[in-house]
Amino acid sequence: MDYQQILDDIYLQVQSLAGVGRQADYIPALAQVDPEQMGMCLETLDGDLFAVGDAQVRFSIQSISKVFALAMALSMEGENLWQRMGREPSGSTFNSMVLLEVEHGKPRNPFINAGAIVMSDILLERLPNPHRDFIHFVRALAGNDSIAYNPIVAESERSQGYLNAAIANLLKYHHNIKGDIEQVLRFYFLMCSVEMSCQELAHAFLAFANHRRPFDYNGVKLTASQVKRMNAIMQTCGFYDEAGEFSYLVGLPGKSGVGGGIAAFCPQRYGVAVWSPRLNSKGNSVVGMKALELLTTDTEESIF
Ligand code: GLN
């Protein structure tokens, strides 16, 4: 498979989408990012790397961090995790409160904000040094020790984080947050503020592409069965209320973020990440979705 040729073709084809969509601006710091950037990187299980555009540029991973939080929470809680959240797609926006109220403070899944805020509470309670342990885990997965939080982005989001604060309050009311709401939210925003490049994300997601390889990164261990199950949640819940559309058009498990990044993988083949800040109305990168649709169409590889 000539992945480089395919990525080069994709890069040319997505130029026609220049200017389509809007970058997230509800987090003030994200409104400052140049929206005309685009990068893509694919790494195979054998370690071959293919890249185009701004694949080396770091960006705000935002909700992609929920995958890393889930890996940590699952490794510590095991099946008990599902007492505090579900694992069904929500069909509503990532920051919706509607279901949370109807379902008495039990988030539908770990990849909506409510679920990730509960995971933030779990990590704060269980980890000896949560801020350090989370970033060390991400660095180990990505194989790069310079990956870091961006405290300016985290603070910028916190300063306007009224909706997430409302979600946290509702969770606390229903006894699904044990710790202090303020600290739980601060850690949630910090996890969202991690900056990584497409190349680093593609490498990190290789860990999920091969569930038969032992998952053990900086002491975070998952069994093969747990990795498979995490992958199932990425497939069904990884793209907000567009998970069905993403399955239909792309056919890979993965996770998107409002920074414009999408990380995905093809089981037993590769990890891939694409980034471009302009989003569609559901909060997914316009160029990112198109690029991955073209990738699985051109390669004729997907989980289906
Ligand atoms: N930090 C963002 C928020 O809570 C993450 C959302 C996202 O990427 N979907 O709104």
Side-chain angles (χ1 to χ4, degrees):
M1 189 72 68
D2 191 348
Y3 286 120
Q4 189 58 51
Q5 183 63 53
I6 290 172
L7 260 59
D8 288 340
D9 286 349
I10 291 171
Y11 191 65
L12 284 179
Q13 287 192 61
V14 298
Q15 301 301 325
S16 64
L17 291 171
V20 180
R22 285 193 54 198
Q23 78 203 91
D25 56 6
Y26 74 98
I27 301 171
L30 292 187
Q32 312 301 320
V33 177
D34 170 9
E36 311 312 334
Q37 301 177 83
M38 187 276 178
M40 185 168 186
C41 181
L42 183 152
E43 183 176 346
T44 66
L45 240 47
D46 301 329
D48 295 325
L49 269 181
F50 308 92
V52 285
D54 304 307
Q56 262 47 267
V57 178
R58 285 185 175 160
F59 58 90
S60 198
I61 69 167
Q62 292 298 319
S63 279
I64 300 173
S65 65
K66 295 178 169 84
V67 173
F68 306 139
L70 176 59
M72 290 190 104
L74 201 57
S75 78
M76 294 184 293
E77 295 281 321
E79 290 294 298
N80 288 337
L81 182 66
W82 309 120
Q83 290 171 10
R84 301 197 43 191
M85 64 192 71
R87 45 178 193 257
E88 287 293 342
S90 75
S92 42
T93 55
F94 58 84
N95 50 13
S96 170
M97 293 181 66
V98 177
L99 283 174
L100 194 60
E101 180 167 22
V102 176
E103 296 177 355
H104 310 293
K106 186 173 179 183
R108 262 295 168 92
N109 68 61
F111 292 160
I112 54 172
N113 286 9
I117 291 169
V118 171
M119 292 196 294
S120 168
D121 182 51
I122 291 170
L123 299 187
L124 280 176
E125 191 194 358
R126 303 271 308 227
L127 292 170
N129 188 336
H131 293 201
R132 187 202 61 195
D133 297 343
F134 181 79
I135 201 72
H136 281 190
F137 170 56
V138 176
R139 288 175 180 169
L141 268 179
N144 189 319
D145 278 349
S146 67
I147 291 168
Y149 301 114
N150 183 332
I152 296 169
V153 173
E155 178 51 29
S156 159
E157 180 166 13
R158 198 194 64 82
S159 72
Q160 301 295 313
Y162 306 112
L163 191 47
N164 284 317
I167 290 171
N169 275 280
L170 195 52
L171 289 165
K172 184 80 178 173
Y173 172 78
H174 286 288
H175 310 291
N176 204 1
I177 285 186
K178 297 183 182 166
D180 172 65
I181 293 185
E182 202 52 43
Q183 280 184 24
V184 167
L185 282 170
R186 275 181 195 273
F187 186 42
Y188 168 75
F189 294 135
L190 201 60
M191 291 191 282
C192 289
S193 81
V194 169
E195 295 185 335
M196 294 171 75
S197 67
C198 289
Q199 186 170 326
E200 289 155 355
L201 276 170
H203 187 77
F205 271 61
L206 268 182
F208 303 103
N210 186 359
H211 67 269
R212 295 190 193 102
R213 197 156 57 186
F215 190 107
D216 182 356
Y217 296 88
N218 202 50
V220 178
K221 294 183 189 167
L222 294 174
T223 65
S225 165
Q226 284 175 316
V227 175
K228 266 195 310 186
R229 288 177 169 179
M230 273 200 59
N231 296 350
I233 299 172
M234 284 193 243
Q235 184 73 38
T236 53
C237 310
F239 297 89
Y240 321 129
D241 41 341
E242 209 170 31
E245 184 72 356
F246 191 84
S247 256
Y248 180 81
L249 293 175
V250 179
L252 298 177
K255 184 76 199 82
S256 55
V258 292
I262 301 178
F265 61 91
C266 189
Q268 307 306 323
R269 291 187 194 276
Y270 60 73
V272 64
V274 51
W275 167 60
S276 193
R278 289 187 188 274
L279 309 177
N280 64 20
S281 61
K282 308 282 189 185
N284 290 315
S285 169
V286 173
V287 164
M289 284 212 27
K290 189 56 168 183
L292 291 171
E293 178 192 343
L294 291 169
L295 175 68
T296 53
T297 306
D298 293 350
T299 58
E300 299 183 353
E301 292 175 335
S302 85
I303 69 159
F304 304 107

